[in-house]
Structures are given as C-alpha cells and as structure tokens.
Amino acid sequence: RAAEQGDATAQSNLGNKYKKGQGVPRDAKTATLWMRLAADQGFAKAQSNLGWMYLKGQGVAQDDKEALMWFSRAAEQGYAKAQANLGQMYTQGQGIEPNHQTAIKLFRLAAAQGLAEGQLSLGRMYHAGKGVAQDHQEAAKWYRLAAEQGHAEAQLNLGMLYNQGQGVQQDYQQSLKWY
C-alpha cells in the first residue's frame, strides 16, 4: 500500500478513513498515527487535520499548543482551512494571546481562497468591529460570499442584516430568502 511506502497523501487519506470509519473500523488513535506520518512530511492537509484532532482531543489528549503548532505549519503553506482555524484560535485566545489583527489577516487569506468559513469569520469580525472598524456593509459582503456557498450561519447572518437594514437596504423579502 502507498501509505506503508511513505506516500504522504495516502497516509493522510488513510488517516481520514480511520477517523471517519469509512471502510475500516472508526479508530481515532490509528487515524492520528497516519495523520502524524503525513504531517511530519510537511503535508499541509494532514497538518491541519492533526491540528483539529489536538484541538478537539480526537485520538490524542486535547492540547491547544499542539493544535496551534500544526495549524501554523499548514497555514504557512497557504492551506485555507488551517488559516481559518488558526484565525479562530487567535480570536478566542485559545492556546495563545488573543490577537484580532492577526486573526483578520488569517481570515483574509482563507477568504481569498474562497473558503466559506474564512468568509464567514471575516464577516463576523466586521459585524462586531473586532480588529477592524465595525462595518455592516463589509460584513454583508463577506456573509454573502459564504452564504452563496450554502453556509448556514452566513445565510442566517445575512438574513438578519437584511431584516434590520444593517449594511444593506432593509428588505424583508431578501431576509426571508436567506432565512
């Protein structure tokens, strides 16, 4: 098998199969083993997945510092999901001092790649005025991009902006459309 021969993509894929129980019994510890092999080779997707496993304590002891390290490695390679997850850690001060400006930069990188979670997160920051001046129009722009990809929370948030006339002209029909 390719994973046993050291192929990082195959190791990552096999790790995901064990994590989800697809074709093999669900086994978080075995998933972690395969993810780590791929992550240690610098495979960004595996690094991001391993970060998530540490963040949630899946197959490993929950460890914010380890999650931060793995997300950082993947984010440095431009992996959008890792950028968004790392941004959330900076927003919440999870494993690191809160830094909204750094979170904004990471969300922008993820959003620029079309990741709905990055777009939603950027919208949230503009909506709340965290790390940027509060700007409902800009929030609506980012919520719309994520909402058009089917992201439920972004759809709800965009519907609320239309309902309240924040950043967009009040429009109950648009509000209903997004609700």
Side-chain angles (χ1 to χ4, degrees), residues 3-16:
E4 292 168 347
Q5 294 178 38
D7 183 274
T9 302
Q11 291 169 336
S12 178
N13 289 343
L14 189 56
N16 271 323

Side-chain angles (χ1 to χ4, degrees), residues 28 32 50-64 67:
T32 303
L50 193 55
W52 185 259
M53 294 172 90
Y54 275 106
L55 185 67
K56 299 298 180 185
Q58 296 174 344
V60 292
Q62 196 283 333
D63 187 330
D64 289 341

Side-chain angles (χ1 to χ4, degrees), residues 95-115:
I96 196 161
E97 284 295 313
N99 187 324
H100 291 144
Q101 284 73 34
T102 299
I104 290 282
K105 288 177 188 172
L106 289 161
F107 293 147
R108 280 191 195 287
L109 291 170
Q113 294 181 65
L115 184 71

Side-chain angles (χ1 to χ4, degrees), residues 113-125:
Q113 294 181 65
L115 184 71
E117 190 62 40
Q119 295 163 342
L120 168 69
S121 296
L122 201 48
R124 282 191 204 126
M125 298 300 271

